[in-house]
Amino acid sequence: TGRRLVMVDAEPRACALARLNAAQVEEDVEVREGRFDAVLDPAERFALVVADPPWVPSQRVAEFPEDPVWAIDGGIDGLEVARRCVRTASRHLAADGRVLLQLGSVEQVEVLDHTCETSGLEVLAVREAGEGGSRGVLALLGPEAWTGPRPHEG
């Protein structure tokens, strides 16, 4: 597309791997290390924000012993980081931009809907991954004023 890709992660090892991958392509890729709500310039706008925040409720992280706790712990209801993602993305989204957000369940998307509304975004589509949503869900968010056709749900 010719657009610049900005990748953000708070984990140094993830950033190091992202930089190694970015060096293999000819695209304009920048990797920033730190919290996403702290490393973006206030004036930056993006056509697409892809976010995969930790979404496992804190009391359930022991169910996933193979995953580092810092990578999966989403707070009490699993949505602490996702809420921050939505609020931050809404401030950095181009006028007709979209947010693609990975969460654990349709129910989490429904709970997050209030944060979307207060951030000027709405849930445009939700798609379950895996059999019966066994691998999470993807939620497509966009500005409330969007009047174009809605993406297919399912």
Side-chain angles (χ1 to χ4, degrees):
T1 66
R3 290 186 174 146
R4 177 175 61 118
L5 171 65
V6 176
M7 300 170 66
V8 177
D9 204 299
E11 171 55 37
R13 179 73 177 138
C15 288
L17 292 172
R19 286 184 186 100
L20 284 173
N21 287 332
Q24 304 302 310
V25 299
E26 295 180 13
E27 304 299 321
D28 183 8
V29 179
E30 179 182 353
V31 179
R32 297 182 191 171
E33 185 177 320
R35 284 178 43 149
F36 55 86
D37 50 355
V39 299
L40 298 175
D41 183 282
E44 285 185 289
R45 297 293 177 267
F46 301 96
L48 178 64
V49 172
V50 179
D52 182 12
W55 48 259
V56 176
S58 297
Q59 67 272 18
R60 294 190 52 214
V61 295
E63 296 174 25
F64 305 94
E66 67 281 358
D67 294 315
V69 172
W70 59 264
I72 64 170
D73 189 345
I76 292 173
D77 64 354
L79 295 173
E80 180 180 320
V81 181
R83 285 185 184 95
R84 209 166 59 242
C85 281
V86 168
R87 288 190 296 268
T88 301
S90 72
R91 292 191 302 271
H92 293 280
L93 204 58
D96 60 348
R98 298 288 178 272
V99 178
L100 186 61
L101 180 67
Q102 182 173 336
L103 293 174
S105 68
V106 172
E107 292 78 18
Q108 282 186 319
V109 175
E110 291 169 355
V111 170
L112 192 64
D113 192 46
H114 177 70
T115 301
C116 293
E117 288 176 12
T118 60
S119 298
L121 299 174
E122 66 178 311
V123 177
L124 302 175
V126 177
R127 178 154 302 163
E128 294 182 289
E131 186 80 23
S134 62
R135 300 197 58 186
V137 299
L138 292 174
L140 182 66
L141 314 176
E144 288 180 333
W146 174 250
T147 58
R150 297 287 184 224
H152 172 73
E153 291 196 30

